[in-house]
Amino acid sequence: MNKIQIYSPAKINLNLKVIKFDNNSRKHKLKSRVSILKLCDVIQIIKSKSLNIKYHKLNKKIYLADDIIKKTISYFDKKYKKKSSFNINVEKKIPVGYGLGGGSSNAASILKFLYSYYKINPNNFWIDAPNIGSDVLLFIDQNPKMIDGIKSIKRIKPSKPRWKKIFIIIPNQKNLTKDIFLNFKKKQYHHTNIKTKNDLTYSSRALNPEFTRIYDFLCNFRDDFKLFDMSGSGSSIFVSFKSAYVEKSIIHNIHEKFPLLRIEKSYYFS
């Protein structure tokens, strides 16, 4: 086979409500509206004599403690009685550990590739994806989704779907998902008068001082935003603007206040 290149998109949670903690699954039940971004990882695949998976960021090799691509292939091979051997190179353009779903998206992209390569019915994605990870099913297509529970995900079909501009702000300090949910479960945070549609924002503020400084600064411009909040368990923040004029001015102000801050311009499908 020739080298195959596939794209693995990020996502944002436009809102997030923690319903309750489920003792059976040991996970929190969530309600959240999710949109897919154009920001994506690039995955190159070529046939090989053995399975080799490498991750790169800006041409530098990186190591991921939990390799979800390896987990996906292992699951697939066991279920469908295959022995997959490929060289897989992943260029990580999606920031790792910021609530943007890069790992789950990588798993979804590889799963779709394996269905195609082995000529297996792609409708199996609905069954296989939740067994690999709770968010993998979000990446079945580019349509917006609604998470309602733990494994319940519903497609939303917009009346006039299109790509809309959005900016993703990436603090230097990450949030650890486990710590954020534990903080929320134990209620070790303070409610403030901030307006947020993400229940986990309060825990992020309790655990991540840099996030709090950036979030509070952005609150000064709330009236100029169409969208503004933290994505998932953070610590990334998304903003979209009401006009091009205020967009340019506020982006300049953010860079001036936080010169080392990474800001990614992208588009979300809605």
Side-chain angles (χ1 to χ4, degrees), residues 128-216:
D128 294 333
N131 291 324
I132 295 167
S134 55
D135 283 351
V136 177
L137 195 54
L138 293 171
F139 299 95
I140 190 169
D141 57 32
Q142 69 182 20
N143 284 313
K145 314 288 188 311
M146 179 63 75
I147 300 172
D148 191 3
I150 294 175
K151 291 187 177 181
S152 175
I153 293 175
K154 303 171 185 175
R155 281 182 172 132
I156 300 171
K157 293 187 177 180
S159 56
K160 295 181 180 179
R162 62 187 177 93
W163 291 99
K164 302 174 184 177
K165 189 193 296 185
I166 199 162
F167 291 85
I168 311 298
I169 297 169
I170 312 294
N172 291 304
Q173 185 179 346
K174 301 179 182 182
N175 287 349
L176 295 177
T177 300
K178 180 176 70 174
D179 292 347
I180 293 293
F181 276 100
L182 183 62
N183 177 277
F184 184 87
K185 183 182 177 184
K186 293 184 176 181
K187 298 183 179 179
Q188 294 175 334
Y189 56 84
H190 299 288
H191 274 288
T192 61
N193 59 357
I194 62 167
K195 295 178 181 178
T196 178
K197 293 182 179 179
N198 185 337
D199 285 350
L200 300 178
T201 300
Y202 301 107
S203 293
S204 183
R205 291 173 63 85
L207 298 176
N208 190 331
E210 183 197 12
F211 169 86
T212 303
R213 289 194 299 272
I214 297 167
Y215 194 93
D216 286 353

Side-chain angles (χ1 to χ4, degrees), residues 53-81:
I53 305 166
K54 294 180 181 178
Y55 295 87
H56 301 270
K57 180 182 177 182
L58 300 175
N59 295 320
K60 291 183 179 180
K61 189 181 290 187
I62 60 173
Y63 298 91
L64 302 181
D66 184 17
D67 190 338
I68 197 168
I69 290 181
K70 187 175 181 180
K71 176 184 175 182
T72 301
I73 294 173
S74 176
Y75 168 89
F76 180 92
D77 284 357
K78 184 177 181 180
K79 178 175 178 179
Y80 296 102
K81 297 179 172 56

Side-chain angles (χ1 to χ4, degrees), residues 219-234:
C219 283
N220 295 320
F221 309 103
R222 184 181 288 276
D223 290 343
D224 296 310
F225 296 146
K226 284 183 183 176
L227 297 173
F228 162 53
D229 226 318
M230 182 178 80
S231 178
S233 57

Side-chain angles (χ1 to χ4, degrees), residues 103-119:
S104 297
S105 179
N106 291 169
S109 297
I110 291 296
L111 194 54
K112 291 175 188 177
F113 161 75
L114 292 171
Y115 292 145
S116 175
Y117 182 82
Y118 290 110
K119 296 180 172 54

